[in-house]
Each structure stands twice: as C-alpha cells, then as structure tokens.
Amino acid sequence: MKKIWKRTLCLVLVFALLAGMSVCFAGNDGKQYHDYGTYVLLGDSIAAGYSDVEPVDCEFTRVEGSYSAIVADTIGAELIPMACPGFRTIDMRYIFEDDYVPDQYLFHDVADKAAMEARIPQIRQAVADAGLITLGVGGNDVGSYLAWVMTDAIAKGGMFDDFVTAAKDLLARAGVEDDNLTALLDLAATMGVLPNVIQALPSAIYVAVTTYLSNWNHVIEDIYRLNPDVTLLVTGLFDTGYKTEEDLTAENASSIDHQVAQLIVDMINAPMKAGASRYGYLYIDTSGTLTDVAHPNAAGHQHIAERILEALPEAGIPFTDVHAGSSAYEAVKYVYQHGIMAGTAETTFSPNASMTRAQAVEALYRMAGSPDVSGLAEPFYDVAANTPSRDAIVWAYTSGIASGVITGALFCPNAAISRAQLAAMLYRYAGSPAVSGSLKAIDQYLIPPYARDAVLWATANGVIPASGATFCPLKAATRAEAAYGIWQTSTL
C-alpha cells in the first residue's frame, strides 16, 4: 500500500509540474518567460526576415533563423508573422484606422495589393488577440520613401526608361539604404537627370521626416486601442554599415560614413525612445547588428533576438507591464511576493499609475503584518466601518504613520498620495530616525514642514530618489515609486 501511495504521489507531482509549464517557458539561459500564447510580428523587411544574399519568401511568413522565429521558439509562443517588406508607419495607420488617408506609395513593395487589402481584418484581429507584439518600422519612412520619390522624379517625361528599369532593379535587389541611394544619385548624375532629383529631394525629405514624426504616436495608440494589455516591444533601427565584428570597433565606428548613418538612425529612433516612457512599451536598442548589405545576417538576427529576450520580463511576477531590468522590477517583485501590494489586474501592475492614500497605508499595514485593530474607532469623517481600507487607516493613524488632511478631519482615501506624503509615511514607519545634513533639491521650499525631515531621510537613503535636481514633493507618487520606497525601507 505504501508503494502504491508513493507512486501515486509521484505521478501527481509530475502532472503538477507539467501543468505549471503552461505558465512560463525556460529559455536556453534558464530565464523563465510568461506564457504569452501568441506572438505577433509587425514590421518591415528587417522584421520579416528579408535576406540580401538569397531569395526568401518573407511576406507574412515565418522565416527560420529570423529574430522573431528565435524569440517565438525560446519563449514557447505561437508566432503570427504580420510583417512585410516596404511597410511604413503610413501602412500601419491605414491597416489600423478606418478613416486614414494614405499617400500614393501605400503598400508600395507588397507583391499583391488586393490580397493585402483583404488581409487587414486578419491583422487587426491578430493584434487584438496577441499576448506579445514586436514592432519594427521606421526605416522605409525615410530611406525607401526618398528612393521611391527620386525614381519617380527621374522617370518624368519618359526619357530615361532604361535607367528607371535599372534603378528599380537595384532597389529591389539591394533593399535601398544609404549606400544604394548614393549609388542611385550617382547613376542619375551620369544620365543627366540630376536636376530632377535635386528639385524633388528637399520637399521629399521634409515630407518623409515630418510624416514619420507625426505618425509614430498614432501607430502606438492604434495598437493599444486594439489591445490595451498587450506586451509591446519596439525594435529600434541600426546602422546598416556594420558587416563584420571588426566594423564594430571604436575606430571603424567613428568613420564619417558611420557617423552620418548614425545621425539618420538616431533621428528615426528618437520618437521610439520617447514613446517608451509615454506609453509604457519596451524600446529595444539594436545597435551592433551585423548585416549582409542592409538586412541582418544570421548573427544579426541572433543579436536582435537576444536583446528582445533580455528585455522581456521574467515570470517571477505575473505583470507583463513591469519589465526585467527596469528600476522598479525588483521592488515590484518584492512587494508582490511578500503580499504587500497586488496588481491592478491579473497581469498588470500599472507602475506609472498614481498611488492613492488608502493604497499606501494598506501596503504599509500588510508590511506590518496586518495588526488587529478591533475596538479602535474610525478617526475620520470619510472613513466608515465598511470602508475597504478602514483597518489599515485606523492602524496608520493610531501608529502615527499617517494623519488626516483638511484640518485633520478627513483622510481622503481615494486622493493621490504626493511624493512628500509618501516620504512622511515611510519615514514614520521606519521609526522617524535622526537625520542630518540639508536638503539639496532646488524645489525644497515646496516641501511641507511636516515632511522635510522625511524627504531628507528618503533621498539620503535612496528610498525615494530625487528627480535630477528636484524632488517634486507635490507630484503624485506612482505605484512603482511606492513599491520602490517600501522595498528600500525594508532593507534599512
């Protein structure tokens, strides 16, 4: 009987372990990833897996060895490739928005434009259902667009048909990046068509840059409108001049051609980087990607995949909006695993959302072990026996952790807690230790008198770091800042 029981127990444990594998997937480095279910790939030829050296069908098709295939296999997700050569932010907006009016180059490099139109509902649904999305567009908004405009300018009048045929063949074979555009202009000059190019170029550059800059935020908002809870990663552009490891050396990377290419890349990447803090997506720096000509080679795709995998959050916490490597990750992990703070939903922590006064005292109350407050009365007019945070507020008040506002008669549980108020609560929780020195923040005169020692303590001990030269005492504290402050306080 004992043997049968042991075997049964072993089987139960095995099945439990197998069931647990649906929660996350272990990569080659042992990192545990969330179960995203489906991974949707959005982007242009780089994302699609286009090759400079051998023909490969990459329109809306999985390409083995591409960074998306590597990522999908590593995290155990179903890859849904929705990338296509030539895609720009204009194409993205047209796909996602019913009333968007595109330019004349819509779906310029797509093999079958009618089939592309028919695919739009499928792309929208894939985005809406995705657990993970990577977005890689931007290069065609400037580089390829300028080449298309130049080719059309050269073709005006029908005098250079042979040249246009040769130029378009060059574009198709080489992918049209800076080197090829230079070659195209040189060729145009030899054919006597440079005046047409020079005339069209200034306005084309202006349209390309301004359109891209105005489109970027719309594309991100479109994706989040379709899928507010998705984990979104944006892959930045890289300088395509790096063909070998030697190219990546400091000496070669400082060459004039690399510096010019990097200026263009930095300009295109700028709104991507800015949007990461605004919208909460992950920006992936892909610098150092090796290419054949203009597209990643095998090592380049592996490099991009590794950068994506590094950035994806570990499955140690269920929140897909708190990314591994971020300043808040370890703090959120601590408060979650210790039952101090929960998420705002099953898979979201909302790190950038404001923390309320009630949420702050609830977190500290749990941190203190949720002491019994039976028999203690509610000290505030806006806190009743059935107020969800009642016990925490009573505890915080009687323990000297928090006081009321508006002459002390109200607690205002649903009001956002300021950074100064949060510092004061954490300082009192820590026992109001002695402080020395002086405040350095240039906005220190905005700090209420009751919080001055607390802010000095909080900044000196890294509990609530200053924001550059300012502390922003009246600014609402975020959930991430609260988690970080609690985590740091626990170590003192």
Side-chain angles (χ1 to χ4, degrees):
M1 180 62 71
K2 288 184 178 180
K3 289 183 178 180
I4 294 175
W5 169 246
K6 288 181 179 178
R7 289 175 182 172
T8 303
L9 181 59
C10 287
L11 286 172
V12 170
L13 290 173
V14 168
F15 282 121
L17 287 172
L18 290 174
M21 289 178 66
S22 64
V23 176
C24 54
F25 193 90
N28 293 332
D29 59 357
K31 180 178 178 180
Q32 299 291 314
Y33 299 96
H34 292 280
D35 178 14
Y36 293 102
T38 57
Y39 161 29
V40 172
L41 171 72
L42 296 176
D44 52 27
S45 56
I46 292 174
Y50 181 89
S51 172
D52 294 315
V53 296
E54 61 178 303
V56 56
D57 179 15
C58 62
E59 281 193 7
F60 308 101
T61 303
R62 174 186 169 116
V63 175
E64 296 302 328
S66 65
Y67 72 75
S68 63
I70 296 171
V71 170
D73 290 346
T74 303
I75 67 176
E78 176 190 1
L79 176 61
I80 301 179
M82 292 295 173
C84 182
F87 266 9
R88 298 171 293 156
T89 54
I90 284 177
D91 302 301
M92 294 282 102
R93 289 193 65 181
Y94 183 78
I95 289 170
F96 294 137
E97 301 174 22
D98 292 331
D99 57 352
Y100 180 70
V101 180
D103 64 10
Q104 69 192 81
Y105 297 106
L106 178 70
F107 302 144
H108 189 275
D109 288 345
V110 174
D112 188 335
K113 289 183 172 58
M116 182 63 235
E117 291 279 356
R119 187 178 277 114
I120 289 176
Q122 178 187 357
I123 297 176
R124 292 184 182 183
Q125 191 61 53
V127 169
D129 295 338
L132 172 68
I133 294 175
T134 58
L135 172 66
V137 290
N140 293 322
D141 285 69
V142 178
S144 295
Y145 172 78
L146 293 180
W148 299 336
V149 172
M150 295 304 98
T151 301
D152 288 346
I154 293 168
K156 282 184 178 179
M159 298 174 59
F160 305 101
D161 292 342
D162 291 342
F163 167 74
V164 171
T165 300
K168 288 184 176 180
D169 180 61
L170 174 63
L171 299 180
R173 286 186 291 104
V176 187
E177 295 293 338
D178 295 323
D179 293 343
N180 298 314
L181 185 55
T182 300
L184 180 59
L185 293 172
D186 290 342
L187 184 56
T190 64
M191 299 293 290
V193 295
L194 189 56
N196 287 358
V197 173
I198 293 175
Q199 184 177 5
L201 189 57
S203 62
I205 293 174
Y206 176 79
V207 170
V209 173
T210 56
T211 302
Y212 166 69
L213 293 176
S214 65
N215 278 345
W216 180 258
N217 288 343
H218 288 286
V219 172
I220 299 302
E221 289 166 3
D222 288 339
I223 292 173
Y224 280 126
R225 173 176 51 80
L226 289 168
N227 192 338
D229 297 325
V230 72
T231 296
L232 174 62
L233 288 79
V234 170
T235 55
L237 269 64
F238 51 85
D239 175 4
T240 59
Y242 299 103
K243 310 296 189 290
T244 67
E245 294 289 347
E246 288 72 23
D247 288 337
L248 298 175
T249 62
E251 180 180 350
N252 291 331
S254 62
S255 63
I256 296 297
D257 57 337
H258 279 307
Q259 290 181 22
V260 172
Q262 195 60 52
L263 283 173
I264 298 172
V265 166
D266 290 344
M267 182 270 294
I268 297 175
N269 284 342
M272 299 184 189
K273 293 179 179 179
S277 58
R278 177 177 180 180
Y279 295 105
Y281 60 73
L282 277 171
Y283 171 77
I284 308 300
D285 182 351
T286 62
S287 58
T289 298
L290 298 180
T291 65
D292 288 315
V293 178
H295 295 81
N297 55 24
H301 277 289
Q302 183 66 42
H303 172 73
I304 297 174
E306 289 174 356
R307 300 304 298 268
I308 292 173
L309 293 169
E310 288 171 3
L312 283 174
E314 292 189 73
I317 57 176
F319 311 123
T320 57
D321 57 353
V322 180
H323 313 302
S326 69
S327 59
Y329 182 80
E330 290 299 330
V332 172
K333 184 177 180 180
Y334 174 83
V335 297
Y336 171 74
Q337 293 183 342
H338 286 79
I340 297 171
M341 291 178 66
T344 54
E346 184 176 345
T347 59
T348 57
F349 186 80
S350 303
N352 296 321
S354 297
M355 187 81 166
T356 68
R357 286 171 53 82
Q359 290 170 341
V361 295
E362 285 173 345
L364 292 174
Y365 180 55
R366 298 188 194 105
M367 190 177 181
S370 301
D372 184 18
V373 293
S374 300
L376 297 178
E378 299 83 31
F380 306 109
Y381 289 124
D382 56 352
V383 178
N386 60 352
T387 300
S389 54
R390 181 262 179 195
D391 286 358
I393 293 173
V394 170
W395 166 82
Y397 175 76
T398 57
S399 301
I401 303 297
S403 56
V405 296
I406 310 178
T407 69
L410 302 175
F411 188 78
C412 298
N414 296 322
I417 188 170
S418 69
R419 284 167 54 87
Q421 290 172 341
L422 177 63
M425 288 188 188
L426 293 171
Y427 176 61
R428 295 166 189 156
Y429 182 90
S432 301
V435 295
S436 60
S438 59
L439 292 165
K440 305 297 182 183
I442 60 175
D443 58 354
Q444 59 177 287
Y445 300 106
L446 296 176
I447 300 172
Y450 71 83
R452 293 185 68 83
D453 282 354
V455 171
L456 178 57
W457 168 83
T459 53
N461 290 280
V463 174
I464 304 179
S467 179
T470 62
F471 183 76
C472 303
L474 305 182
K475 182 181 178 182
T478 65
R479 287 171 53 80
E481 288 173 331
Y484 189 86
I486 289 170
W487 177 49
Q488 291 299 307
T489 300
S490 72
T491 65
L492 297 177

PDB file of all heavy atoms in Angstrom, residues 44 51 69 91 140 147 245 311 350 430:
ATOM      1  N   ASP A  44       8.678  45.795 -41.056  1.00  0.00           N
ATOM      2  CA  ASP A  44       9.080  45.870 -42.450  1.00  0.00           C
ATOM      3  C   ASP A  44       9.976  44.686 -42.823  1.00  0.00           C
ATOM      4  O   ASP A  44       9.895  43.632 -42.201  1.00  0.00           O
ATOM      5  CB  ASP A  44       9.772  47.208 -42.717  1.00  0.00           C
ATOM      6  CG  ASP A  44      10.900  47.484 -41.724  1.00  0.00           C
ATOM      7  OD1 ASP A  44      11.485  46.515 -41.188  1.00  0.00           O
ATOM      8  OD2 ASP A  44      11.213  48.663 -41.476  1.00  0.00           O
ATOM      9  N   SER A  51      16.315  38.590 -46.823  1.00  0.00           N
ATOM     10  CA  SER A  51      17.739  38.285 -46.954  1.00  0.00           C
ATOM     11  C   SER A  51      18.325  39.026 -48.144  1.00  0.00           C
ATOM     12  O   SER A  51      17.726  39.085 -49.225  1.00  0.00           O
ATOM     13  CB  SER A  51      17.958  36.782 -47.134  1.00  0.00           C
ATOM     14  OG  SER A  51      19.317  36.507 -47.436  1.00  0.00           O
ATOM     15  N   ALA A  69      11.466  34.223 -35.176  1.00  0.00           N
ATOM     16  CA  ALA A  69      11.409  32.769 -35.019  1.00  0.00           C
ATOM     17  C   ALA A  69      12.216  32.324 -33.801  1.00  0.00           C
ATOM     18  O   ALA A  69      11.789  31.433 -33.045  1.00  0.00           O
ATOM     19  CB  ALA A  69      11.929  32.084 -36.284  1.00  0.00           C
ATOM     20  N   ASP A  91       1.527  52.765 -43.736  1.00  0.00           N
ATOM     21  CA  ASP A  91       0.840  51.497 -43.972  1.00  0.00           C
ATOM     22  C   ASP A  91       0.194  50.983 -42.685  1.00  0.00           C
ATOM     23  O   ASP A  91      -0.920  50.450 -42.697  1.00  0.00           O
ATOM     24  CB  ASP A  91       1.826  50.456 -44.523  1.00  0.00           C
ATOM     25  CG  ASP A  91       2.477  50.910 -45.813  1.00  0.00           C
ATOM     26  OD1 ASP A  91       1.751  51.162 -46.783  1.00  0.00           O
ATOM     27  OD2 ASP A  91       3.717  51.025 -45.839  1.00  0.00           O
ATOM     28  N   ASN A 140      11.825  52.563 -43.704  1.00  0.00           N
ATOM     29  CA  ASN A 140      11.239  52.854 -45.015  1.00  0.00           C
ATOM     30  C   ASN A 140      10.572  54.226 -45.060  1.00  0.00           C
ATOM     31  O   ASN A 140      10.358  54.773 -46.141  1.00  0.00           O
ATOM     32  CB  ASN A 140      10.205  51.787 -45.384  1.00  0.00           C
ATOM     33  CG  ASN A 140      10.844  50.431 -45.606  1.00  0.00           C
ATOM     34  OD1 ASN A 140      11.932  50.333 -46.161  1.00  0.00           O
ATOM     35  ND2 ASN A 140      10.184  49.375 -45.165  1.00  0.00           N
ATOM     36  N   ALA A 147      13.836  57.100 -51.991  1.00  0.00           N
ATOM     37  CA  ALA A 147      14.224  56.393 -53.209  1.00  0.00           C
ATOM     38  C   ALA A 147      13.052  56.296 -54.176  1.00  0.00           C
ATOM     39  O   ALA A 147      13.221  56.462 -55.390  1.00  0.00           O
ATOM     40  CB  ALA A 147      14.730  55.003 -52.852  1.00  0.00           C
ATOM     41  N   GLU A 245      32.486  41.800 -37.308  1.00  0.00           N
ATOM     42  CA  GLU A 245      32.791  42.184 -35.937  1.00  0.00           C
ATOM     43  C   GLU A 245      33.808  43.328 -35.902  1.00  0.00           C
ATOM     44  O   GLU A 245      33.772  44.177 -35.011  1.00  0.00           O
ATOM     45  CB  GLU A 245      33.333  40.974 -35.158  1.00  0.00           C
ATOM     46  CG  GLU A 245      32.318  39.858 -34.945  1.00  0.00           C
ATOM     47  CD  GLU A 245      31.244  40.242 -33.951  1.00  0.00           C
ATOM     48  OE1 GLU A 245      31.410  41.259 -33.248  1.00  0.00           O
ATOM     49  OE2 GLU A 245      30.226  39.528 -33.879  1.00  0.00           O
ATOM     50  N   ALA A 311      15.113  41.789 -22.598  1.00  0.00           N
ATOM     51  CA  ALA A 311      14.180  42.819 -22.139  1.00  0.00           C
ATOM     52  C   ALA A 311      12.864  42.254 -21.632  1.00  0.00           C
ATOM     53  O   ALA A 311      12.188  42.887 -20.820  1.00  0.00           O
ATOM     54  CB  ALA A 311      13.902  43.805 -23.272  1.00  0.00           C
ATOM     55  N   SER A 350       0.435  48.293 -13.372  1.00  0.00           N
ATOM     56  CA  SER A 350       0.234  49.728 -13.624  1.00  0.00           C
ATOM     57  C   SER A 350       1.264  50.558 -12.863  1.00  0.00           C
ATOM     58  O   SER A 350       0.928  51.383 -12.016  1.00  0.00           O
ATOM     59  CB  SER A 350      -1.182  50.155 -13.238  1.00  0.00           C
ATOM     60  OG  SER A 350      -2.155  49.406 -13.927  1.00  0.00           O
ATOM     61  N   ALA A 430       9.517  53.753   9.482  1.00  0.00           N
ATOM     62  CA  ALA A 430      10.894  53.361   9.822  1.00  0.00           C
ATOM     63  C   ALA A 430      11.292  53.819  11.214  1.00  0.00           C
ATOM     64  O   ALA A 430      12.417  53.552  11.659  1.00  0.00           O
ATOM     65  CB  ALA A 430      11.857  53.934   8.784  1.00  0.00           C
TER      66      ALA A 430
END
